[in-house]
Amino acid sequence: MKKISGTWFLWTFFWTVLVCNTGVAQEKAEKTQEKEPIDTKTTTRVTLGSSSGTPGTSVVVPIYFTPAEGAQVGQLKVEVNFVSANLKFDKVDRGIAAEMGDVELKNELQTAKNDKGVETSTLQIQAQAPPNKPIPAGLLGYITLKISETGRPANIGMRAAAEGADIASKPLTNIRAFDAQVEVLAPGTQPTVACFFFSH
């Protein structure tokens, strides 16, 4: 019984920390990238959450979806570009919004080299809701990435672009994507955890 309770506590703690960190990351990403003000009532938003980790570990970049007021989005295509010399794509998992809305997520990865000869990756994620049902607002999915064992401290930009259509397959005219970054920390250091639940 003690073993089960301990395991339950660890999983609860892990998800609480993840929710706290990703919620703060979403706010920061949207604030820092808003060069011109946007009308949140009329603009559909896809936001990547920033993350951090040390060499040899995996990091999770959350994908948040916020439809415009009254919008019924049936499909989304999110493209994420990043320098992948020391950061490799692992997988995409559905978030709670996709699971609750029975949204199907598919992904495709392409790698290339930029003009400096550095490897880059382009990850395309497609989200498809069931017929005549919209994609729910919230945590759409998670991108899991692996930091190379030899990765040096750096900030790796995750550049996002998005397009989509409503449940009648009419293209969205007002959609914005917000970038994020993965911070590679020095070996032996850990990211600072700050959360409302633990600070109040």
Side-chain angles (χ1 to χ4, degrees), residues 13 17 20-21 27 33 41 50 87 106 110 131 146-147 160 189 194:
F13 177 77
V17 169
C20 289
N21 282 345
E27 269 186 41
Q33 201 172 348
K41 291 183 179 181
S50 294
L87 188 65
K106 293 182 179 179
Q110 295 179 340
K146 176 83 172 177
I147 301 173
T189 62

Side-chain angles (χ1 to χ4, degrees), residues 64-94:
Y64 301 98
F65 172 64
T66 310
E69 200 171 275
Q72 292 193 312
V73 180
Q75 51 188 302
L76 276 176
K77 181 179 177 183
V78 182
E79 188 172 276
V80 182
N81 294 291
F82 58 97
V83 172
S84 51
N86 290 308
L87 188 65
K88 304 297 183 186
F89 169 73
D90 183 15
K91 61 181 178 175
V92 173
D93 291 312
R94 293 196 303 171

Side-chain angles (χ1 to χ4, degrees), residues 187-198:
T189 62
Q190 295 298 327
T192 306
V193 176
C195 178
F196 177 84
F197 295 111
F198 300 114

Side-chain angles (χ1 to χ4, degrees), residues 7 27 57 86 124 134 142 148:
T7 304
E27 269 186 41
T57 64
N86 290 308
Q124 292 186 348
Y142 304 94
S148 168

